[in-house]
Amino acid sequence: MEAVAAGGGGESAVELLLRAAALVPLEHYALAALAVVSVLVYRFLELHVVGDLLRGFRGGRVELTFHPASEIYHGVASKCRSLHGRYLVTPWIASPHLQTLFLGICGRPPSFTYKRQLYTAHDGGTVALDWLLAIDSEDSDGILSKDASAPLIVIVPGLTSDSAAAYVKHLAYSMARKGCNTVVSNHRGLGGVSITSDCLYNAGFTQDVREVINYLHHKYPKAPMLCVGTSIGANILVKYLGEEGENTPVAGAAAICSPWDLLVGDRFISRKLVQRLYDKALAFGLKGYAKLHQPVLARLANWEGIKKTVDTYYRRCSSASYVGNVSVPLLCISALDDPVCTREAIPWDECRANKNIVLATTPNGGHLAFFQGLTARRLWWVGAVSEFLFTLLDSKHMHQQKAQDHILHSSLESSIDKSPYVNVMEDGMIAPVTDDGPCDDFTSSNQIVNDIKVDNGDIAQQNEHAKEIDDANTTEVNAMPSQIPEQPAEQQGEEHFVNKFHDAIAPVKRSINQLTRYQGKSVWLLAYIAFVTSWPLLGSLAFIAFRKKFRNNLPAKWPRR
């Protein structure tokens, strides 16, 4: 017993374990380490090739969300095979991160050349319109013929993306091959165009889209207009459709991988390590944009003030609160594994409540990728959008523009997201750049930069005609005082009282004008609110006026009986 105890006590349990471990071949350790690393990488990259294998590479089912009584679903979406099938990811990039990375690095876009047109907005900003025309649609000036009746597809790219992005070229080429004329409306400062005004684009700035759509509809009235927005472009497009309601010439639209709620997306993208990498990548793209336009941004930006209003900006620019007012047939496509635009921000209930919206979600797809086939040369969402829009064109459900005196807006809407640039005050509050702000020097719509050529002669002629009318009216007004005869003292006194009355209510009138301009509300509704709120002042002035007039009309003495 003592010998055994002595022999056993010569080595500790740790030493025995190390001796036993040394007997295991190194190859086994390498295989074990490789297995652990593979599991970690599989989880980190969110690979799903094993799941696809277990399902027999059938792909994930496309799930549709729509109103039960939706005519858009029953008359259009129900006839689209791609929306009632399955989507199978390209096996060797079966990961949302690999798909998104592959789209950004390569993407395998088709090779073609756009034809560029520069459009000058009413505030002096420049928007590059890149055209890819169908066969036999070209006019003598190199752009689309004014009598063209083929469908016109307007594409709104994502954040820091332009017409050269791979996914944009996939969509433009696919639609052009099928007989549509496509035009990419690049954001200000992108597509190789300089910033020519103090107004910049942002995630909720819909004015450029509104102007471009109205301009194209005016110039090509016979062509049915369809719009497709991607990522931030989808957010802008949905917000525009919600703002306009029935009053838009767009016949149908599609929103691909929209962020929907920017505040939720901001929290999501800074939650995990892999999402923070995307945050860095987006910031890198924005830094390139900032460096390219450094002279303008350095003069306008108040970085400390902007940091204080980030959440306010995200809330005002989110399109989720505008979904309920969309009156155009709209197909929304989102991947549930999107690493940039989280599924948590998708407005499921709002889409289900709107009869004009069909929401299609897939288990996989990444951000704007949706590669399919062994060669990864096709994007599934491009085919789905194409099928939906062409089915819509062949149906009776295309939207027809209806002018409205009053357009409903979300309660969250303010002039902040309607203005292309905001002023940040010292206390951190933000305010839009109005007609009294930095945009004053660029409000004339016929100011054209000397080194660019813009094809908007019709608009320029209208502006010149309006200017002539204004000049003529100004001349007549200036000439009027010399033609007015002198008035009696009593009339001058009454006019003096009227002038005072107008001065008293001038602030109310200015408030009504500002609210009408920025909010888009009915002037009669605003006038009613102003009348009710200012009634004490108006009542007092009216009482004083009638009392003085009544006293002046009384005789000096009552007649004796």
Side-chain angles (χ1 to χ4, degrees):
M1 287 292 290
E2 294 179 359
V4 173
E11 293 181 343
S12 64
V14 176
E15 292 174 344
L16 292 174
L17 182 62
L18 292 175
R19 179 176 294 182
L23 299 177
V24 179
L26 294 177
E27 293 82 358
H28 293 181
Y29 286 110
L31 291 175
L34 180 61
V36 172
V37 172
S38 299
V39 171
L40 294 177
V41 172
Y42 191 92
R43 296 290 300 273
F44 181 77
L45 295 179
E46 301 179 44
L47 291 162
H48 48 82
V49 63
V50 174
D52 293 340
L53 178 62
L54 296 176
R55 288 190 294 269
F57 290 103
R58 297 173 58 205
R61 184 181 297 276
V62 180
E63 298 292 340
L64 299 181
T65 302
F66 55 90
H67 192 282
S70 171
E71 295 183 358
I72 304 304
Y73 170 76
H74 295 291
V76 182
S78 63
K79 302 177 181 179
C80 300
R81 296 183 59 185
S82 57
L83 298 179
H84 292 81
R86 294 176 176 271
Y87 163 62
L88 176 63
V89 185
T90 300
W92 48 274
I93 51 173
S95 160
H97 308 295
L98 293 181
Q99 285 209 73
T100 305
L101 182 64
F102 184 74
L103 179 66
I105 295 178
C106 176
R108 295 187 174 180
S111 178
F112 59 85
T113 303
Y114 293 104
K115 295 183 179 180
R116 170 154 293 187
Q117 174 189 4
L118 296 179
Y119 172 78
T120 300
H122 282 75
D123 65 347
T126 303
V127 177
L129 302 179
D130 290 333
W131 291 84
L132 181 61
L133 305 180
I135 301 175
D136 298 331
S137 295
E138 184 174 328
D139 197 7
S140 58
D141 60 357
I143 310 296
L144 186 63
S145 172
K146 293 184 178 181
D147 296 328
S149 59
L152 177 59
I153 311 295
V154 181
I155 303 175
V156 186
L159 182 69
T160 70
S161 294
D162 54 25
S163 58
Y167 62 89
V168 174
K169 300 186 76 172
H170 274 285
L171 176 62
Y173 183 75
S174 175
M175 301 304 291
R177 282 185 58 189
K178 297 177 180 179
C180 295
N181 298 302
T182 61
V183 56
V184 183
S185 178
N186 296 283
H187 301 297
R188 299 185 180 204
L190 294 175
V193 176
S194 301
I195 296 177
T196 57
S197 75
D198 286 356
C199 300
L200 314 178
Y201 88 96
N202 59 55
F205 181 45
T206 58
Q207 187 58 33
D208 280 349
V209 172
R210 181 176 292 103
E211 284 198 34
V212 168
I213 288 176
N214 291 336
Y215 162 73
L216 294 175
H217 177 64
H218 174 74
K219 191 168 185 178
Y220 312 109
K222 297 181 181 180
M225 185 178 300
L226 305 169
C227 293
V228 181
T230 56
S231 192
I232 286 295
N235 185 81
I236 295 174
L237 176 60
V238 174
K239 185 171 179 287
Y240 158 76
L241 294 176
E243 290 174 349
E244 295 298 304
E246 295 280 356
N247 189 28
T248 175
V250 177
I256 314 302
C257 295
S258 174
W260 297 110
D261 191 320
L262 300 178
L263 188 59
V264 174
D266 174 68
R267 301 297 187 266
F268 169 78
I269 206 169
S270 58
R271 184 183 302 169
K272 298 179 181 179
L273 175 60
V274 64
Q275 267 72 43
R276 287 196 289 269
L277 295 178
Y278 287 101
D279 193 16
K280 297 291 185 182
L282 293 174
F284 179 79
L286 291 174
K287 286 180 180 178
Y289 179 86
K291 290 181 179 179
L292 185 63
H293 306 290
Q294 184 176 3
V296 177
L297 294 176
R299 177 169 54 86
L300 296 176
N302 178 0
W303 303 114
E304 294 300 324
I306 290 175
K307 292 179 181 178
K308 300 177 183 178
T309 61
V310 173
D311 288 357
T312 301
Y313 162 74
Y314 286 145
R315 280 192 292 268
R316 300 298 187 185
C317 294
S318 297
S319 62
S321 56
Y322 295 83
V323 171
N325 200 42
V326 173
S327 301
V328 172
L330 175 64
L331 173 65
C332 304
I333 297 179
S334 294
L336 300 182
D337 66 349
D338 193 320
V340 178
C341 301
T342 174
R343 59 188 295 178
E344 301 171 11
I346 298 177
W348 302 91
D349 294 337
E350 289 83 350
C351 291
R352 186 180 293 108
N354 192 324
K355 296 181 180 180
N356 298 298
I357 296 179
V358 175
L359 171 64
T361 56
T362 59
N364 311 115
H367 186 65
L368 296 174
F370 295 86
F371 285 102
Q372 61 179 169
L374 292 177
T375 59
R377 291 189 178 276
R378 292 180 293 127
L379 306 184
W380 173 84
W381 68 264
V382 171
V385 168
S386 175
E387 185 179 13
F388 175 83
L389 294 180
F390 277 100
T391 305
L392 176 64
L393 289 172
D394 294 334
S395 71
K396 61 179 181 179
H397 301 291
M398 285 195 301
H399 171 73
Q400 300 293 332
Q401 184 176 10
K402 298 178 183 178
Q404 287 183 324
D405 295 332
H406 174 62
I407 301 175
L408 296 176
H409 292 274
S410 168
S411 59
L412 292 179
E413 182 188 359
S414 72
S415 55
I416 292 171
D417 51 290
K418 279 195 168 186
S419 179
Y421 187 74
V422 296
N423 281 333
V424 183
M425 315 305 290
E426 295 181 357
D427 57 356
M429 297 300 293
I430 57 180
V433 174
T434 64
D435 294 338
D436 300 328
C439 294
D440 276 350
D441 296 335
F442 302 92
T443 53
S444 178
S445 60
N446 59 354
Q447 290 181 351
I448 301 178
V449 184
N450 294 329
D451 58 344
I452 62 177
K453 182 179 180 181
V454 183
D455 183 19
N456 59 347
D458 296 338
I459 298 178
Q461 292 177 1
Q462 295 175 3
N463 291 335
E464 291 176 359
H465 179 64
K467 185 177 180 182
E468 292 176 358
I469 295 176
D470 292 340
D471 294 341
N473 292 339
T474 303
T475 304
E476 292 178 2
V477 170
N478 292 335
M480 284 178 63
S482 61
Q483 301 174 1
I484 299 176
E486 296 183 0
Q487 298 178 348
E490 295 180 357
Q491 295 184 5
Q492 293 179 1
E494 292 179 359
E495 290 184 357
H496 179 69
F497 172 77
V498 171
N499 291 336
K500 286 187 175 181
F501 180 78
H502 282 279
D503 293 339
I505 65 173
V508 178
K509 294 174 62 178
R510 284 196 298 268
S511 300
I512 293 176
N513 293 335
Q514 291 178 358
L515 287 172
T516 303
R517 184 187 307 122
Y518 297 134
Q519 295 290 353
K521 304 293 184 183
S522 171
V523 66
W524 298 109
L525 176 61
L526 295 176
Y528 170 76
I529 296 174
F531 178 77
V532 172
T533 55
S534 60
W535 172 247
L537 174 60
L538 297 177
S540 300
L541 292 174
F543 176 75
I544 295 173
F546 283 109
R547 185 176 63 178
K548 289 183 177 180
K549 187 174 182 180
F550 181 74
R551 287 181 176 178
N552 293 334
N553 292 334
L554 287 178
K557 293 182 180 181
W558 291 95
R560 296 181 179 179
R561 295 182 180 178

